[in-house]
Amino acid sequence: MKDLVGIKELSRHEIEEILNTAKAFKEVLQRDIKKVPTLRGKTAINLFFEPSTRTRTSFELAEKRLSLDVLNFSVSTSSVVKGETLYDTLKTIEAYNVDYIVMRHSSSGSARFVAEHTPASVINAGDGTNEHPTQALLDAFSIIEVKGRLDGLKIAIVGDINHSRVARSNLYLLSKFDTQINFVGPPTLLPLEAPDNVKIFYDLKEGIKNADVVMLLRVQLERQKGAYIPSLKEYSHVWGVKKEAFSYLKNDTIIMHPGPMNRGVEISTEIADSSRSIILKQVTNGIATRMAVIYLLTPKEA
Ligand code: CP
């Protein structure tokens, strides 16, 4: 494949191939010398039109571990602020003959647009509310690392599902395996209908008590155009996962969050920092997973 725009178009076999490759790269990352010469002489650009901590830094590390030359494009100091379009920004970058473009943008569909207009390999690092494919891949990698499998698991995704590209990519990925997914949250933030493998819960305890994995999401106030919740305080009171949950969760339930977390809103500090939390493992696994994605894509020959 030339690009990774979304999980939707990947087969289970392709997902497994990425996860197996990521496992091999994770072994490389545990060596003294964490770098391989695989992509020496190739160039990657990280084009982030939206803020990011985890995705941007782990892509940069992944690229450097693969011996790529890396350009970081800072939108706030670029000619985008003077009104340059996405298309003209892309054509300018293309003139440097780059091989990989990692892009985050606030518009859903922007990654596909760019992929269709450049010979470089495009990796979607999050486009609007559409998809965040490498997040779902690193989530799957992390679950398998702890649970040994995806098949047969019950996974509760809690919170602002309607505005979450992470939830969408996870839904696509987990649905290619034999999983049961619970969407849990207030009716205003959940879809009205869901596929057969998804159950909708408007009660937090009911939705998470039997789950093997509880995946919490941030309330994305920046993507909401209306008043979907009365206040963050009320959201936290009703939907925040707090230490009381330990009394009814299964003993081996793991807690995940893609970040950035709003401590005290969707997740309490006791939960975030507990031994059940694999949040930092997710961050670590972002590097190997993104190395695998870059390694397996093939830019078009110029
Ligand atoms: N999970 C995630 O996309 O985090 P960042 O916004 O920090 O990249």
Side-chain angles (χ1 to χ4, degrees), residues 51-56 104 132 135 258-260:
S52 166
T53 297
R54 283 145 287 269
T55 311
R56 199 164 101 90
R104 170 171 288 189
H132 191 351
Q135 180 68 46

Side-chain angles (χ1 to χ4, degrees), residues 3-30:
D3 311 295
L4 178 64
V5 170
I7 298 290
K8 193 175 186 180
E9 52 262 35
L10 294 184
S11 66
R12 173 173 172 147
H13 174 75
E14 286 166 330
I15 291 166
E16 285 172 335
E17 188 182 359
I18 295 170
L19 298 179
N20 288 336
T21 308
K23 196 171 172 190
F25 279 127
K26 184 146 185 190
E27 280 162 25
V28 170
L29 294 174
Q30 279 153 358

Side-chain angles (χ1 to χ4, degrees), residues 155-182:
I155 294 144
I157 306 180
V158 184
D160 186 2
I161 288 163
N162 280 347
H163 297 96
S164 173
R165 54 197 178 206
V166 173
R168 197 178 301 271
S169 288
N170 266 296
L171 172 67
Y172 290 140
L173 191 153
L174 295 168
S175 299
K176 294 174 201 278
F177 293 78
D178 178 23
T179 58
Q180 198 216 297
I181 302 165
N182 294 349

